[in-house]
Amino acid sequence: MSEHTPRAARSDLVADTALALLAERGMRGLTHRAVDETAGLPQGSTSNLARTRQALLELAVRRLADREARVLALEELPDPRGGLDSLVDGLALAAHRALTRNRELTLARYELALEATRRPELRAYFDATGARFRDQLTTLVTAMGSTDPARHVLSLVAWADGLMFSCVAGSFSSQTPGPAEVRASLRELLDGMFGR
């Protein structure tokens, strides 16, 4: 075990606790002291890892990106040579996982996204961490023959974000669509994009 492992484990604990607090209490409930108390750490532990609020928010954003990547399982996204059905299946599976296994993280992401509208330094950091999924999606739709990959990726991300917000925090929060419903909606969207 490396000498950095305990610090990395504490960093993950602080970041996970920050995300949980964001989901439970919102941005105003996220303080260094609240993280220490909730995580069962000695007072000052969070400040030792992330001295400023900006540093704490960046730690949370970085952990959010790592955890969402695992839930979305980016490495499982389909090979574009598998055709449109394969793409629909892969993206629908990722979207449904996010709806069912990722609700707390999604709430935390919305809190961080809204805070980023008021903090330019956080906006840049937030957008950079989200680029991993957008870049992979751009590669997929380009390989599928998209005539306008940037616009199509924007449409796909907007569809996914709208679905997540509606089902996690919006007017459909008590109705999570099943895998077949997610797949059908996504198929309609992609059929329109690719002229099927």
Side-chain angles (χ1 to χ4, degrees):
M1 191 181 294
S2 83
E3 64 185 41
H4 300 293
T5 302
R7 182 170 172 86
R10 181 163 288 199
S11 178
D12 288 349
L13 174 61
V14 165
D16 286 337
T17 304
L19 291 171
L21 285 168
L22 284 168
E24 180 186 334
R25 303 179 191 176
M27 193 58 65
R28 292 179 64 181
L30 176 64
T31 64
H32 287 75
R33 179 180 294 255
V35 173
D36 287 340
E37 290 172 358
T38 304
L41 295 170
Q43 286 298 315
S45 297
T46 299
S47 291
N48 286 338
L49 271 171
R51 294 223 176 268
T52 65
R53 184 163 181 80
Q54 176 67 23
L56 180 58
L57 291 172
E58 288 178 4
L59 189 68
V61 168
R62 187 168 50 250
R63 184 67 170 161
L64 174 72
D66 290 344
R67 287 180 58 189
E68 283 191 325
R70 285 198 303 274
V71 172
L72 295 174
L74 297 181
E75 72 282 355
E76 292 179 16
L77 287 180
D79 183 326
R81 292 173 294 188
L84 189 58
D85 284 338
S86 175
L87 181 62
V88 170
D89 288 343
L91 293 177
L93 176 62
H96 190 260
R97 279 180 180 158
L99 283 172
T100 56
R101 293 170 41 189
N102 206 25
R103 294 177 80 84
E104 180 181 278
L105 288 180
T106 301
L107 285 172
R109 179 160 48 93
Y110 291 139
E111 289 287 343
L112 289 164
L114 288 172
E115 186 68 8
T117 66
R118 296 178 283 274
R119 291 176 177 256
E121 66 281 9
L122 185 61
R123 172 90 276 150
Y125 197 81
F126 185 86
D127 290 349
T129 60
R132 179 172 28 175
F133 182 72
R134 289 190 308 275
D135 291 348
Q136 194 156 353
L137 201 50
T138 299
T139 299
L140 279 172
V141 299
T142 300
M144 291 294 300
S146 168
T147 56
D148 193 345
R151 185 171 56 81
H152 287 158
V153 167
L154 173 61
S155 294
L156 280 167
V157 170
W159 171 83
D161 277 343
L163 179 69
M164 308 272 181
F165 183 84
S166 295
C167 295
V168 171
S171 56
F172 289 89
S173 61
S174 63
Q175 302 169 290
T176 301
E181 293 171 282
V182 173
R183 190 188 188 287
S185 294
L186 186 56
R187 181 66 195 231
E188 289 166 355
L189 180 64
L190 289 170
D191 278 348
M193 283 182 188
F194 295 110
R196 302 294 200 277

